[in-house]
Amino acid sequence: LNCPAGYFCPYKTATPEIRCRGCGEGATKPERDVGIQILIILLLVVLIIVGAIASIIYKRTKHLVTKQVEGLSYRLIGENSAKAQKAKQKQLDKLRPKLAVIAKRLEDLDKESGFLYKINKEEGEDDKLEFDVRGIFDALDTNNDGDLQYAELNAVLGFDDEELEVFCTSMNKAADAKEIKHTKEDSVSRPVFVNNFLKALEGTVNLKVTPAEAAEIYDTILAENQVKEVQESMLYTSVLSNTLSDYEIMLLIKKFRQVNSVDEESPLYNKQESRRSGLQRRHTGIAREIFVLHYPTFLMQVYTEKDVVDTSEGVDICFKDLCLEVTVAKKQINVVNNVTGRLRAKTMTALMGGSGAGKTSLLNALCGRAYYGNIIGDTYINGTKKQIEEIKDVIGFVPQDDVVYAELTVRENLMFAGKLSLPRGTDMDEIEDLADSTLANLGLSRVAKSLVGDVKRRGVSGGEKKRVNIGLELMSRPKCLFLDEPTSGLDSSSALLVMSSLKNLVSSEGVTIVTVIHQPRKFIFDLFDALVLLGVGGNTVYSGPAKGAYDYFVGLDYVLPPGEALADWLIDISAGQIHPDPKVAATKDQEKDDDDDQLMAITPRMMTEAVGKKGVAMGKAKEAITDAAMRREWLYKEWQKYFDGLDNEQKSIYEVPAETEVPGAKDKQRFFSQLWTQLRRIVLVSYRNLTAKLVDTIILIVAAVIISLVSGLPEISRNDNPSIEFETLVSFDQTSAPGIVAQLFKYAATIQQTYPLQIGLITAVLVGLQASRILTSKQLEFFRETSSGYDSNAYLLAVNIMATLETSVQIVIVALIAAMLREPVASWGVFFAHFLAMAWTVVSWSLLFPMVMPAENVSTVLGAFFAFFGLLLSGAVPPIGFGKIYGGDIVEHLSAWLSVTRFFLEGMAASEHRCLPEQSGWTVSEESINFDRANTLMAYRRFSYARHDPNATLYDCGGWYWGILPTIFIGITVRYLGFLAMHGFNRGKQTKKPVFHEIRKDGKCGILVVVLLLGLVGLVALTTWLYTRDLEADYEYVGIEKWVRTALEQNLTELRETLNLTDWNISDIPNLLEMNADLDTAALTRVTLPTGEFPDEFMNQPDPTLVPIVDPNVDPNVDPDLLNGTLRALMSAAWNGTCECPCSEQN
């Protein structure tokens, strides 16, 4: 056949049926289309360009973030840079008139301070104003006591009552924020004055702003941001931030909003939707005329209005004899031991103690997160005896680690938290207001648009990240907030800022705050209202007002060394590392306990006699006390004695209060609402990781290109004869069959299995590792949100949807490129369908493994899982081939469930085979008799493909998709198993009790577990049925035995001509096989033997009982070879059981 251009004609093909874009006329082998190669190169170039652009955008964004960080650093370091000096000079220039008045008044009072003077610069430069604030303080501090009365200071300031109040308030707030000691509210100390005078003065001077000054401020903000209209968010980083706090700026913005709150068409009320986050954001612009008109009035109101104080009841938690019992080495141990105390509403309580004191355990017991033990004792919520779990909706817990979304901005983190945790029906405006308030209260408004960041990308500072961590919980509006060491890892300044923000929440929001804190500095310790001090083993050393702790331990003869922090001193005492002072103890009378006590009470005098300054045992009491354990035991007993001795009035702070309303459960967001929010957040996170996604995709494409190029085009046929005798071909046995088949069907036996295995295995490993990161990278965030009451099912479904969509996009690109380079014989749809089906299963396993093992181990285990089972159970690698897979034993099930390449490989290979034209796989001589299609390449008795689908042998280039449906259901089953694993594994990290504990506690939970497990069993059964059922054939199968009969019918004429040369008729032919009359045929039974050609050994050994057909010597015209061939065909038919006679090996 002269094969036309555009087609490839395999050896002995009768018609051109295989398209080949790159083949010219008379092509002897498939050729790759040059246009396809150029298209692939262009696609790779485009991807590289897109990756480069994304990298540039990332670097640009990183540069902008760096500039923001540098700007923040500039505000922090102040005078350490030339820019700071310039800003300070500008500040002094603005205050020049007021400073001149102060200088004049000092001169009138004969107070020469020299704090204000000019330095003439060289020609062409402006005068430089310098200021010495220490001079004014020293001039007015006549008694040199380091304190200056505000009234005395006002003699030179000249403020009215309103301005003086603002000035004093500003100075005192600055002193609190910077932890500078100030003794009185009506006076200011020298350090406070020196550090904050200019800022307080500027704020007071700007208190009464004229419209002209307001217009100047507005124009300055426009110039700084290079915009045509001032936006709300710009005020936080404008010149206003020099004198106003974030909270005050927020109040100012709210007043501007109220101006036109009724008219939503005004420029002050302009809602826009963020394209990237999908969150509706109120991005309000403030018109110039509105700002100039109202700013002076609003500023005065913000300065003079009192801080808003929460008037709600709050949450009061009282606990008595609280114990937390855990099992250690099959023994029950109390890690919290009979602790009694009270967390008064709207107060801030510190939990302190040395290592092993049970601080975190007590915190977990109080907030209902002690999943690992049994809580014993009574708990009262607002005077009502309840379990803490009953008010879990109004409790927030801030973990020690900063578990936030690094890819989101500060504001986006809070907004998503609000959408997921606030009650159903909360509108977007309310969420926005809460986010603004939270940002302002935590001092985060200036970095609201900054990415939180992590080790991979720069973001906010450590202290700001810690406050974002707190803000996530505040977005649920908790009435009680528990924090686990919120200052760990922070410097002293950042720690102070965090704790000051928490203290503000107590007064402004009415939140009851309980925090574990380790070694707080003095000013942080002074922020606490109450203290619970624990010793080793969770025993109480002190519980009560924080200010009373010092007096209590002084009463036990402890002395605070000069210069030592009070908190450190208390922790050392609780750990038994220090002892009462011997000199103090020696002046007091000591008492001895009764002889009935099993443990001798250690009195202060005995302590001083027993322990020297460095804790070395000495004196008479050496035998009674030798280590810190005895000192701690003494402290526990002393506290109990002190507590029992309190009078009714003193004990009232520990008693259960009168019953008030207990906060109820909130109406949580619906499932689909949370699902939509989770989806938007995951999409945004994925967008922020676009560069990494592009790199992953490029790696996949490169792998597909390399494998496809190395494998080449599919080898359909060979043009050389295999040198196999015809007799051997039609009479091969099980021993010779593999060698013969390997030569006859080289394409089917080697190349077509190799390529799907290679590309399937590599794709599965790469896609699986990428898909698993969507869960492993956010595992801590998932645990935190689940613990906070978010719907974990909505999160898991959102992750499944996003992972599937991302992977599908990658796989479609890979399948397209693979098909273009491979140029399959069958439809390209085969590539897309089987690649997508395999990716579906791969993603399913990738989302299961993170649910049952630590995130750091997932990559290793998952890669090994895909590589090992994908290779061993694929059906293409000995000793487990498709013959063994279809053998009906456990291998078939293991291959289906564990090997992601099993259905992929079979589907790709079978699709190619069934599209091959007749005899495209044969390379035998032209005169040979050919099998029909049912017995060629797809004959499952030889190659074992498609054993359950006989229709796979039909000629069809549309592909073979039998394995798609089982693959889909395997993926569904594995994902359902991941859903069960999410609720069954890692329950402790989700602060949940074990499943068996929940079943014992609630019978309905047991019923639910049974129903879920039955659902799993049903899915497994349905999936197993799908890949084990036998489909019905759409045609009548023609086996070898029927082929023999068909072949005889086709040659019937020749057979009759042969028989005419003899004395036999066709009806006499079966009698040729009759047995000897002496043989008892009645005793013979049919023997089950494999179908196929009649064994040669029986033909090579003549049977004496056979009657000769013809004697060549009688009629030399008879062809004995033809007659023997006919006999062979008839005996083969008998061998296969088509003769109506009993058969055995002997006949």
Side-chain angles (χ1 to χ4, degrees), residues 92 113 139 169 392 449 488 688 730 782 908 932 991 1053 1138:
L92 290 175
S113 64
T169 303
K392 210 166 186 178
K449 294 184 178 181
S488 62
R688 298 271 166 80
V730 298
F782 164 71
M908 295 280 284
D932 61 89
T991 65
T1053 301
T1138 57

Side-chain angles (χ1 to χ4, degrees), residues 1069-1102:
I1069 291 179
N1071 296 328
L1072 298 176
L1073 303 178
E1074 285 184 356
M1075 293 293 179
N1076 191 301
D1078 296 334
L1079 185 62
D1080 184 5
T1081 58
L1084 296 177
T1085 58
R1086 183 178 297 275
V1087 179
T1088 302
L1089 295 172
T1091 59
E1093 291 77 359
F1094 192 84
D1096 289 339
E1097 56 267 23
F1098 296 131
M1099 291 299 298
N1100 296 331
Q1101 298 177 1

Side-chain angles (χ1 to χ4, degrees), residues 134-206:
R134 297 172 179 83
I136 185 173
F137 187 91
D138 295 337
L140 296 176
D141 186 17
T142 55
N143 56 1
N144 295 321
D145 62 353
D147 278 332
L148 193 62
Q149 296 290 325
Y150 285 125
E152 184 180 3
L153 179 59
N154 199 36
V156 295
L157 297 179
F159 290 146
D160 57 27
D161 292 342
E162 196 173 60
E163 291 174 325
L164 183 60
E165 181 181 358
V166 171
F167 179 82
C168 297
T169 303
S170 179
M171 293 289 281
N172 290 332
K173 284 184 177 180
D176 291 343
K178 292 186 178 296
E179 194 186 348
I180 301 175
K181 181 180 179 181
H182 60 290
T183 56
K184 301 177 182 178
E185 294 296 326
D186 60 349
S187 65
V188 59
S189 63
R190 192 175 190 275
V192 174
F193 186 88
V194 170
N195 285 277
N196 303 286
F197 174 72
L198 277 180
K199 184 174 181 179
L201 180 64
E202 183 180 10
T204 308
V205 169
N206 293 331

Side-chain angles (χ1 to χ4, degrees), residues 229 231-232 257 261 263-275 279-285 411 415 426-433:
E229 186 179 61
Q231 305 296 325
E232 290 178 354
R257 289 177 184 169
S261 59
D263 183 12
E264 296 188 1
E265 299 297 328
S266 75
L268 296 179
Y269 198 91
N270 181 23
K271 289 185 178 179
Q272 297 180 359
E273 184 167 324
S274 171
R275 294 179 181 177
L279 293 174
Q280 190 182 43
R281 298 194 307 172
R282 182 176 49 215
H283 199 59
T284 308
R411 183 181 180 84
M415 289 295 295
T426 306
D427 59 30
M428 184 58 68
D429 285 342
E430 189 175 353
I431 298 175
E432 290 237 359
D433 289 337

Side-chain angles (χ1 to χ4, degrees), residues 981-1001:
M982 178 185 68
H983 291 285
F985 288 82
N986 295 312
R987 291 183 63 84
K989 295 180 180 179
Q990 302 175 49
T991 65
K992 297 177 181 178
K993 294 283 189 179
V995 175
F996 291 109
H997 179 275
E998 298 292 344
I999 293 175
R1000 289 193 297 267
K1001 181 180 178 181

